Amino acid sequence: MRLKFVRTLLVLALLGNIIVWHRIWRLYATQNTLQLLTPSTVTPDPSQKSNHRRLARLMTVVIRQFEVFENDVTSTVDSVLNVFPTIPILIVSNESPYPPLELDFTNETIRNVKLINLKPEFNRPFDERNPLFYIRTKYVLFLPDATRLATRHVIQEILSHVEKLGVVSIPIGSETLKCIDIDLKVKEWSLKLTEATGSVCDGVNGRHATILETKLLRKLTDPFLLPFTNALYIQTTALGAKIHILANYRFNEGKPLYKSQQSQWMLEQLNQRRERSMFETLGIKKVTRASNSVDWYGCSRQTSSCFGSVVNGVPSYLYENRYTPPCCLSGLRKVAHHVFDKLEEVGIRFWLEASSLLGAMRNGDILPWDHQVQIGVNRDDLERSPWIMKAMNNPTVDNLGFVWEKASDGEFFKVQYSKTNHLTVNILPFYTRNGSMLRDAWFLNNKDFPEQFLHPMSTIEFAGRQVPCPNNIRDFLELKYFRGVIENPEIPGKLSF
């Protein structure tokens, strides 16, 4: 009886264990099924989090291309944060945007987003308005307004190209980017733009984003200069950097902007002012467009000349390792042609002198570093010119706006481009005595010379026309200067480039 009771207890205990283990198995199976049906409840892969953070530490996003009167900056920032919630974002503006951007910069959730106003203000130190102060990453992504970032994977691939290529551009939307060759001649203050083929360029036309290394950005003269990216690519060209178009990748377009005629007109006016200011800042005075049209910046007949007072015969720009600005050379040619015409009209004998003759011998034009044109005349012929006679007493303006005057620093005459622009042709009188051509008085350190150099006179190509000159030009110039001057001229102040 007692044995039967023990057996019954053992059977019941075994059945209880079977039921408990069955319930545990059912619960485990149900949880696995729920996890398969609801992937959002799966715990994220730690490697993805670390990859995202690594990319955020590698790159800073800069939004520079936007207008305060119409923009999509807020949505552009949101699109970046959706992909990289912790990535540094700098919004760079020349002034405080008004109306204000719809971003709450006091919100801790966007503490990695910063608005930088470049405009100087009292009680704001320079570092606070210097975007470079806030960039601590290896790369910088310049993202135009109304752009939407692609996936993290695409950004990672693009960054791998930057590591190899240096500077890359990524099209936005359906835009087809065009390569531009930039022929920048800093010494000559000039820039020539040419459309090119291929994907390796000096500059890029078309709507695009640009990624480059921060160390390159820090080498630029003015890295946030507008219009962007025109100014950026001129400066990278000066450093020898090339832009690589990644046509196989694209960022998405955001909100359409500037659809009204008023917005388009405002944008066009802004770009024109910014372009002029950019060329002035970078010291570019001649721009040859891809259409071969030429634009001049910085000097015209109505503006002052390209340089101030000339001390000891050395213009200030020579100390900056630059030649005479091309608009000055162009103006000098016009004054010279005018003086040649006026002297020829009344039969005054004249010839190219000194550095002007040296320029004619070297390259048929004004020397690249010269700031004036010099011609010699026979003193006995001066009274034939009504303009020179009037200039004896007071400066006088002729019927074409050129100013004739007697120099205050020597016995010679000057003809200037206009009342405002003092680009000058110097008329230097000589007279004959005992077979020599002597200076009428001290002027411009010109030396006397034997009269035989003018009997007979010759002609030479100068500034686009044939001009009278002494015969035996080499001997004449070596008498004026030194042996071998044609091959090895000295720049004023004995500067060397």
Side-chain angles (χ1 to χ4, degrees):
M1 188 73 182
R2 186 171 180 178
L3 182 60
K4 183 183 287 189
F5 177 76
V6 172
R7 286 179 178 176
T8 302
L9 287 177
L10 289 173
V11 169
L12 290 174
L14 180 61
L15 288 173
N17 284 334
I18 292 173
I19 292 170
V20 170
W21 283 109
H22 177 71
R23 286 186 175 276
I24 292 174
W25 175 82
R26 286 286 301 270
L27 180 61
Y28 179 77
T30 302
Q31 288 178 340
N32 281 347
T33 303
L34 286 173
Q35 288 179 354
L36 290 173
L37 293 175
T38 56
S40 60
T41 64
V42 177
T43 303
D45 185 352
S47 65
Q48 292 182 356
K49 281 188 175 181
S50 62
N51 183 49
H52 154 62
R53 290 169 182 165
R54 187 184 71 84
L55 289 176
R57 288 194 299 267
L58 273 177
M59 187 173 69
T60 298
V61 175
V62 176
I63 300 174
R64 180 62 174 128
Q65 296 163 272
F66 74 97
E67 304 301 337
V68 295
F69 63 87
E70 183 179 347
N71 62 71
D72 187 40
V73 171
T74 301
S75 297
T76 302
V77 169
D78 288 342
S79 79
V80 176
L81 294 177
N82 285 336
V83 181
F84 297 104
T86 61
I87 198 168
I89 302 176
L90 304 181
I91 305 168
V92 182
S93 177
N94 281 12
E95 56 187 351
S96 295
Y98 184 82
L101 300 175
E102 296 178 355
L103 289 167
D104 183 6
F105 294 101
T106 63
N107 190 333
E108 277 295 308
T109 61
I110 62 167
R111 62 181 180 273
N112 50 312
V113 182
K114 187 169 185 63
L115 174 63
I116 300 175
N117 179 7
L118 298 179
K119 184 178 180 180
E121 292 181 15
F122 287 113
N123 302 320
R124 283 187 66 231
F126 175 77
D127 283 346
E128 283 190 13
R129 53 187 178 86
N130 178 14
L132 290 174
F133 179 74
Y134 302 95
I135 298 176
R136 299 288 186 267
T137 55
K138 183 176 181 179
Y139 301 105
V140 177
L141 165 61
F142 284 102
L143 197 66
D145 190 15
T147 303
R148 304 294 183 260
L149 274 192
T151 63
R152 297 174 191 171
H153 177 68
V154 170
I155 299 297
Q156 189 171 10
E157 288 191 14
I158 291 173
L159 281 178
S160 68
H161 287 289
V162 180
E163 290 179 349
K164 301 172 186 175
L165 304 176
V167 186
V168 301
S169 291
I170 304 97
I172 295 174
S174 59
E175 192 81 20
T176 300
L177 303 185
K178 294 182 180 179
C179 239
I180 299 295
D181 283 342
I182 301 176
D183 183 11
L184 176 64
K185 296 181 178 178
V186 177
K187 287 182 182 178
E188 288 82 3
W189 310 70
S190 65
L191 178 72
K192 184 176 182 179
L193 306 173
T194 309
E195 288 188 3
T197 57
S199 59
V200 181
C201 329
D202 295 322
V204 178
N205 270 351
R207 185 165 157 72
H208 65 279
T210 304
I211 304 181
L212 70 162
E213 289 191 73
T214 302
K215 66 180 180 181
L216 174 62
L217 191 69
R218 294 183 184 278
K219 294 179 181 179
L220 303 183
T221 303
D222 193 342
F224 303 96
L225 184 64
L226 294 177
F228 207 85
T229 56
N230 305 54
L232 176 71
Y233 293 148
I234 293 173
Q235 296 174 79
T236 53
T237 296
L239 295 176
K242 292 291 184 179
I243 317 302
H244 300 260
I245 297 175
L246 301 183
N248 294 331
Y249 301 93
R250 289 188 179 273
F251 292 158
N252 298 323
E253 288 184 298
K255 172 185 172 182
L257 298 173
Y258 321 123
K259 297 178 71 174
S260 70
Q261 290 186 351
Q262 182 183 14
S263 295
Q264 292 171 10
W265 179 83
M266 291 176 64
L267 187 63
E268 182 180 357
Q269 297 299 308
L270 273 173
N271 284 336
Q272 287 179 0
R273 291 197 295 271
R274 287 168 179 168
E275 188 177 63
R276 181 169 291 277
S277 177
M278 171 187 71
F279 289 134
E280 181 179 345
T281 299
L282 298 179
I284 296 171
K285 297 183 181 293
K286 180 182 180 182
V287 179
T288 304
R289 308 285 182 177
S291 61
N292 287 325
S293 63
V294 177
D295 293 327
W296 298 94
Y297 296 89
C299 65
S300 67
R301 197 172 188 186
Q302 289 72 42
T303 62
S304 58
S305 58
C306 309
F307 48 87
S309 300
V310 178
V311 180
N312 296 326
V314 186
S316 60
Y317 54 81
L318 292 184
Y319 290 108
E320 299 171 8
N321 200 29
R322 288 191 164 194
Y323 291 146
T324 305
C327 51
C328 287
L329 295 175
S330 177
L332 274 175
R333 294 184 193 102
K334 293 175 182 177
V335 185
H337 289 183
H338 179 71
V339 173
F340 298 158
D341 291 340
K342 290 300 180 183
L343 296 183
E344 287 174 351
E345 282 178 8
V346 295
I348 291 181
R349 295 165 288 179
F350 69 92
W351 60 90
L352 281 181
E353 264 287 347
S355 62
S356 297
L357 181 59
L358 180 58
M361 275 295 287
R362 284 181 59 82
N363 58 359
D365 204 348
I366 303 167
L367 288 171
W369 55 82
D370 215 349
H371 63 279
Q372 59 191 1
V373 171
Q374 300 183 61
I375 60 175
V377 298
N378 193 305
R379 186 183 65 179
D380 296 337
D381 293 346
L382 291 179
E383 61 185 16
R384 298 181 183 180
S385 169
W387 300 114
I388 291 178
M389 289 297 98
K390 292 178 182 179
M392 289 281 192
N393 299 316
N394 293 297
T396 183
V397 182
D398 66 22
N399 51 354
L400 293 179
F402 295 88
V403 181
W404 299 66
E405 66 177 5
K406 189 175 183 296
S408 59
D409 52 349
E411 294 295 324
F412 65 100
F413 297 88
K414 296 181 177 181
V415 184
Q416 297 174 347
Y417 198 11
S418 68
K419 285 184 176 180
T420 307
N421 193 323
H422 296 167
L423 294 169
T424 302
V425 170
N426 294 315
I427 300 175
L428 315 175
F430 287 83
Y431 64 94
T432 305
R433 177 181 292 174
N434 299 325
S436 294
M437 297 298 294
L438 308 178
R439 296 165 293 175
D440 193 43
W442 175 88
F443 51 74
L444 303 180
N445 296 322
N446 268 279
K447 296 181 179 179
D448 303 337
F449 60 91
E451 185 180 8
Q452 66 187 26
F453 281 110
L454 301 180
H455 298 294
M457 280 201 285
S458 183
T459 61
I460 193 171
E461 178 79 15
F462 180 74
R465 64 186 287 174
Q466 291 292 316
V467 181
C469 68
N471 60 62
N472 202 345
I473 297 173
R474 176 174 292 277
D475 288 349
F476 182 84
L477 287 172
E478 291 186 347
L479 174 67
K480 291 273 184 174
Y481 294 104
F482 53 85
R483 187 176 297 277
V485 66
I486 296 175
E487 291 75 21
N488 300 290
E490 284 187 352
I491 296 175
K494 296 187 177 180
L495 301 173
S496 60
F497 289 174

